Amino acid sequence: MTVRPIIILPDPKLRQVSKPMERVDDEVRQLASDMLETMYDAPGIGLAAIQVGEPVRMLVLDVSEKDEPKNPQVFINPEIMARSDARNVHEEGCLSIPDYYAEVERPAEVTVNYIDLDGKQQTVEASGILATCLQHEIDHLNGVLFIDHLSKLKRDIVLRRFRKLAKERPPVRMVG
Ligand code: K1U
Ligand code: ZN
């Protein structure tokens, strides 16, 4: 398992629409394992493959509480099949937009179809933080960020801050 670098706003890759995964093989299982390691290391409760630079439709999450056993979950080609009319407001953060948190309103419940690491089709009916996190991560697969759900004024302030930080930050050189 390897902790991979997480790409940060305004990296244009974050706006890419990720491609469906065609098979579940050892390479996919290795990527899932690296993503979980990267998520736990950050730390975070979710991660989409594009956040480690891989434009494929896979996400990982673990929304277990601190006093509960770990519950790593992997979702391949997830699709939202149904959304509740009822909505929830939750404070969200993003590992690609460090140290910025804001309240986002989304459907309170979603039904999601996906493929698991054994290649089996699954369905989950999610509510609470699981529903919020799944929607946040599925947005990443479509090039959408949680700041896109905020007012234009708030979004522009965040974008300006991160463009300035990127200019000050020397580019990361990948070795090997
Ligand atoms: O997608 C991401 O960048 C991960 C993001 C997921 C998320 C958080 C909150 C609401 C919706 C989706 C994060 O994990 S941000 C970090 C975070 O929430 C956290 C960090 C440490 C402990 C607990 C939570
Ligand atoms: Zn995010």
Side-chain angles (χ1 to χ4, degrees):
M1 293 212 284
T2 309
V3 173
R4 300 200 189 189
I6 295 175
I7 62 176
I8 304 293
L9 194 70
D11 191 318
K13 278 192 191 143
L14 289 169
R15 293 309 189 175
Q16 249 177 274
V17 177
S18 295
K19 292 249 166 19
M21 304 202 83
E22 308 221 323
R23 64 190 74 79
V24 181
D25 57 15
D26 284 349
E27 204 182 319
V28 171
R29 281 184 274 272
Q30 183 61 58
L31 175 59
S33 159
D34 288 355
M35 286 170 60
L36 283 165
E37 184 85 349
T38 304
M39 179 191 77
Y40 286 124
D41 177 74
I45 58 171
L47 193 73
I50 193 61
Q51 292 179 276
V52 291
E54 300 288 346
V56 292
R57 299 186 80 83
M58 176 157 72
L59 65 90
V60 299
L61 54 83
D62 186 343
V63 295
S64 61
E65 297 286 343
K66 266 195 189 134
D67 55 353
E68 290 174 351
K70 275 186 175 182
N71 184 24
Q73 290 181 274
V74 179
F75 296 76
I76 296 167
N77 298 343
E79 251 185 277
I80 299 180
M81 308 309 290
R83 297 170 170 84
S84 65
D85 290 334
R87 297 174 73 85
N88 234 352
V89 176
H90 203 283
E91 183 163 270
E92 298 192 18
C94 182
L95 298 174
S96 296
I97 312 176
D99 303 322
Y100 180 75
Y101 294 86
E103 289 192 334
V104 177
E105 189 184 297
R106 298 182 187 269
E109 290 166 23
V110 285
T111 304
V112 175
N113 282 1
Y114 66 100
I115 297 168
D116 69 16
L117 274 186
D118 296 319
K120 291 202 181 105
Q121 190 72 49
Q122 303 282 359
T123 300
V124 62
E125 287 184 10
S127 58
I129 183 64
L130 178 60
T132 298
C133 195
L134 272 170
Q135 290 175 81
H136 176 116
E137 302 308 335
I138 291 170
D139 269 357
H140 272 303
L141 307 186
N142 295 321
V144 175
L145 300 171
F146 84 99
I147 55 171
D148 300 332
H149 296 278
L150 307 179
S151 68
K152 179 167 163 31
L153 178 68
K154 282 187 185 166
R155 184 167 60 250
D156 285 349
I157 290 170
V158 176
L159 285 171
R160 221 173 298 136
R161 188 200 295 175
F162 279 83
R163 281 191 198 118
K164 187 165 179 279
L165 283 172
K167 274 193 196 148
E168 290 163 7
R169 203 171 42 227
V172 177
R173 292 229 346 258
M174 302 296 288
V175 181

